[in-house]
């Protein structure tokens, strides 16, 4: 019986710590979710009472609010940016080439090389690299910036430390002809 007491205390301490950790993680996610959802109307207030009475009142309120004061929202999520990037014909061809050359052992993949959006000339971009992904390593082929607010895609030219438009990259670098990591 003497051995059960320390195990019970130890179990109680572990359970208390696990509960505190779970509560902390739950509170974190609840707060982060609350920060990303629009505020609801006051409890007990009918929805019709909280909305403008007419379309004219709504239009006047919109016209009176300067556009610059509205918070900038990302119109393209990180997931949408990654999907748009993988939909590029060059990346589709590269992925197929890697699969074929390796007999299915190597795949094309995207990695996010920095989770924080990068700002270039006042515009924010998601940051991804297309990599040759194998069991041994992930080798970078190209790095891309995808605008959070529109469909713009920039390609990082590491040789010149320059950002190229997608059109310029296609014209100058001819990525459709690429057959390996060295270009």
């Amino acid at each position: 019986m003497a051995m059960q007491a320390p195990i019970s205390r130890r179990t109680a301490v572990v359970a208390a710590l696990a509960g505190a950790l779970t509560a902390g993680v739950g509170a974190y996610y609840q707060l982060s979710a609350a920060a990303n959802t629009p505020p609801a109307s006051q409890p007990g207030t009918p929805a019709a009472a909280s909305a403008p009475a007419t379309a004219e009142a709504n239009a006047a309120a919109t016209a009176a609010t300067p556009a610059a004061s509205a918070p900038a929202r990302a119109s393209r999520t990180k997931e949408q940016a990654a999907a748009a990037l993988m939909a590029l014909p060059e990346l589709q061809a590269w992925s197929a080439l890697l699969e074929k050359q390796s007999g299915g052992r190597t795949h094309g993949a995207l990695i996010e090389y920095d989770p924080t959006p990068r700002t270039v000339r006042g515009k924010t971009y998601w940051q991804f690299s297309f990599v040759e992904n194998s069991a041994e390593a992930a080798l970078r082929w190209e790095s891309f910036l995808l605008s959070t607010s529109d469909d713009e895609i920039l390609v990082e030219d590491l040789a010149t430390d320059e950002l190229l438009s997608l059109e310029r990259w296609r014209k100058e670098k001819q990525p459709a002809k690429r057959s390996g990591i060295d270009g």
Side-chain angles (χ1 to χ4, degrees):
M1 279 298 203
M3 282 190 81
Q4 287 184 343
I7 293 173
S8 296
R9 273 190 237 134
R10 192 174 312 147
T11 303
V13 169
V14 168
L17 288 174
L21 180 62
T22 302
V25 169
Y28 169 78
Y29 282 110
Q30 186 176 17
L31 289 173
S32 65
N36 292 327
T37 55
S41 61
Q42 294 292 331
T45 305
S50 65
T54 64
E56 290 122 11
N58 190 20
T62 302
T65 305
S69 68
R73 287 195 167 181
S75 62
R76 178 159 55 178
T77 66
K78 193 180 300 186
E79 292 76 19
Q80 291 168 331
L85 189 55
M86 282 307 293
L88 291 178
E90 294 86 355
L91 274 62
Q92 291 285 322
W94 293 350
S95 292
L97 178 72
L98 290 169
E99 292 269 339
K100 184 179 177 183
Q101 287 179 342
S102 70
R105 292 183 311 276
T106 301
H107 309 281
L110 289 181
I111 59 169
E112 183 180 18
Y113 62 90
D114 191 339
T116 306
R118 179 173 164 186
T119 303
V120 177
R121 294 184 293 273
K123 194 171 180 180
T124 57
Y125 296 85
W126 301 116
Q127 305 176 75
F128 291 98
S129 287
F130 179 84
V131 297
E132 180 178 327
N133 192 24
S134 69
E136 295 82 36
L139 304 171
R140 187 191 66 78
W141 279 40
E142 291 287 353
S143 292
F144 300 88
L145 299 178
L146 290 92
S147 171
T148 62
S149 60
D150 57 33
D151 293 336
E152 183 180 25
I153 298 175
L154 300 175
V155 184
E156 293 186 83
D157 186 345
L158 297 178
T160 63
D161 199 28
E162 195 176 0
L163 294 174
L164 307 176
S165 69
L166 195 57
E167 296 77 26
R168 183 176 167 202
W169 174 66
R170 286 175 170 156
K171 182 179 177 183
E172 293 179 9
K173 304 296 182 178
Q174 301 181 347
K177 295 181 179 179
R178 190 169 181 175
S179 63
I181 193 161
D182 296 331

